[in-house]
Each structure stands twice: as C-alpha cells, then as structure tokens.
Amino acid sequence: MSFRLANRAGQAVLLDGEDYWDLRIAPMEAFARLEDMHRQWDSRSAPDGQVSPAELGPPVPGPKQVFAYGLNYRDHIEEMDEVDYLGRTTNEAPVVFTKYPDCLVGPAAPVKLVGDNCDYECELVVAIGAETRNIEESQAWDRVAGLMIGQDISDRALQVAATPPQFNLGKSRESFGPTGPALVSPDLVDNPDDLAISCRINGELRQNSRTSYLIRPVAEIMAYLSSILTLHPGDLIFTGTPGGVGQALGLYLKPGDVILSEIEGLGALENTCV
Ligand code: ZN
C-alpha cells in the first residue's frame, strides 16, 4: 500500500511535495482506512491545493500509545557513557520509555525550550497499521502503516531528576515531539531498514548515520513489544537516536537554534527553538 498521509488543520490529507488531497476525515480515522488511502493515492488527479510545512500538524496526532527506545545505536551508547560512566551495555533488556502523546507537534512547529539542558535526538518513527500481538519478526513489517521523522526532544535535567531516573516527563514537555512531515508507507522508500538519518543544528552536521545501525531493528522492536502487550493502529515507536547528541558534545539547544532533521525518503523537519 502506498500513501503519504499528513495533517492539515486537523484534517487528514494525502501529501505529494506541496500538493495535497483532502481525505475529509480526521487523521486518526485514516488508520481504519489504509486500503482506501492507498486507492486514493493511486488515483489522485488535480490536487485540492498546496500546503506549506508550517501549516502541517503531526501526521499522527492522537496515538493510543507512544513507545521510545533508548540507547539503540552503538555510537550513542558510547558517547552517553563518556558523560557519566554508568556502564551502559547492549545485551540487557531494551531501555523503553514513553513520550506522552500531548508533546507531538508538526514538522515546522517551534520547540519551546525550558532551562539550559534541552537536547535534540533525530529518530526514525514507526506507526503501527494493524492490531499486533505476539508476532514473529518476519510478520512485523506487514503491520507497519508508515514511517516518519521524529525529534525526541529531551530535557536532560528533568530526565534524570528522579532516582531511579524516569525519562517520560523529561521527554514530554510541550512541543517536545516534532513529527512528520508525512507518514510514508514503507514501500515508498528504497529499503526501510537502511535509511540515511541526520540532524543539523544551525546548518552544522551533528548526527549522521543509517537506520541499518539500529541495534534492535524495527522488526525486533515490534516482536518484543507485542510479546508484552497489544500494539494498536496508530501507535508510534520512536526507534532511538544515533550518536552526536548535544549532551555528549556539551552543546545544548539555545533559543533561536534551528534543528533540521532528515531521513532519506521521508523529507525533513525544521524546528526553531524559542
Ligand atoms: Zn530518543
């Protein structure tokens, strides 16, 4: 199934470049109509209009659950351990937390900084397309509705304020979840398990990797989560961020910074810090 699903003023639209086609449903209703979207994508003719990134909301504004994997790229594990030498490893259970859905914003939304310890993390985000429980890895991609770019903005101070650390609130401040610009069906990218991923701050390249370096790739993540609970259509998974985050470099976000997040085949997010 092929489509690029976006959110224009609270309405689901198909998006191709700047052209859009109004689906006349709310974005979350699209997950019950993936086949319809595919048909409409294939038969699209003259667009209903054009839309700029600033007019787009999060493609998936109201997921039932949002999962986020921590420490899922080796270079990120190494750089974070150089900060505090906690002895992070890759062979225990995965680090999984949530971003509360209210933090999700669109691809050009401002990021509202709080304090001096806010950080960027460019990530591949997966949206679930079908009820998923106890699946094998080989069944996982069939349950994916689409892929998009996500920024897992983090307040590093709040992230570790409690003992033991509870990441969820530090990852969920207002505007801390830019996503989009569109949810892209996996068939529209060359290889969904091997996409170039990068993040620039004010034009300076900070993160530059490929999703093939995920320690736990998408299929393994979905098999693991679905062995514990049910994944629902529209649920999101932030899959983790590669090395080069601000905390490791001693370069936290400042007002006026422009975060440019790119993933091959999925477009770009451009968010300005305020
Ligand atoms: Zn993250």
Side-chain angles (χ1 to χ4, degrees), residues 34-231:
L34 295 178
E35 307 257 349
D36 290 348
M37 276 206 297
H38 170 62
R39 265 195 297 279
Q40 284 170 278
W41 177 264
D42 273 352
S43 63
R44 65 196 192 284
S45 51
D48 290 324
Q50 263 144 22
V51 63
S52 71
E55 297 172 88
L56 294 174
V60 187
K64 190 166 184 177
Q65 309 183 94
V66 181
F67 303 91
Y69 262 54
L71 303 173
N72 205 16
Y73 288 82
R74 202 165 304 276
D75 59 347
H76 181 50
I77 293 176
E78 288 167 3
E79 71 177 2
M80 293 306 272
D81 220 54
E82 279 169 27
V83 173
D84 56 22
Y85 302 102
L86 283 177
R88 294 169 181 82
T89 65
T90 58
N91 40 19
E92 296 165 24
V95 175
V96 185
F97 54 92
T98 192
K99 291 176 79 70
Y100 294 108
D102 235 36
C103 76
L104 298 171
V105 292
V111 168
K112 299 173 186 173
L113 302 180
V114 178
D116 298 323
N117 296 283
C118 293
D119 205 350
Y120 53 87
E121 296 189 352
C122 185
E123 309 200 5
L124 176 70
V125 176
V126 174
I128 302 298
E131 292 269 307
T132 297
R133 178 81 171 122
N134 280 325
I135 54 155
E136 304 287 333
E137 289 183 24
S138 61
Q139 301 170 288
W141 277 107
D142 293 340
R143 314 296 174 103
V144 173
L147 305 170
M148 60 183 176
I149 309 165
Q151 259 297 341
D152 176 18
I153 304 289
S154 310
D155 177 343
R156 300 296 188 197
L158 182 56
Q159 197 181 330
V160 297
T163 307
Q166 305 289 316
F167 286 9
N168 306 340
L169 287 174
K171 300 279 193 169
S172 299
R173 284 192 186 275
E174 184 183 345
S175 79
F176 274 24
T179 49
L183 187 70
V184 179
S185 58
D187 64 294
L188 291 181
V189 298
D190 284 342
N191 177 356
D193 277 313
D194 183 22
L195 302 172
I197 178 170
S198 68
C199 181
R200 288 178 162 80
I201 305 297
N202 304 323
E204 182 186 304
L205 187 63
R206 297 279 183 87
Q207 297 184 285
N208 188 22
S209 187
R210 302 194 68 84
T211 61
S212 52
Y213 290 122
L214 282 168
I215 295 167
R216 295 178 167 94
V218 171
E220 187 178 334
I221 291 172
M222 288 176 62
Y224 177 72
L225 293 176
S226 81
S227 76
I228 299 168
L229 43 69
T230 300
L231 301 174

Side-chain angles (χ1 to χ4, degrees), residues 231-245:
L231 301 174
H232 299 278
D235 282 358
L236 299 182
I237 304 169
F238 284 66
T239 57
T241 201
V245 303

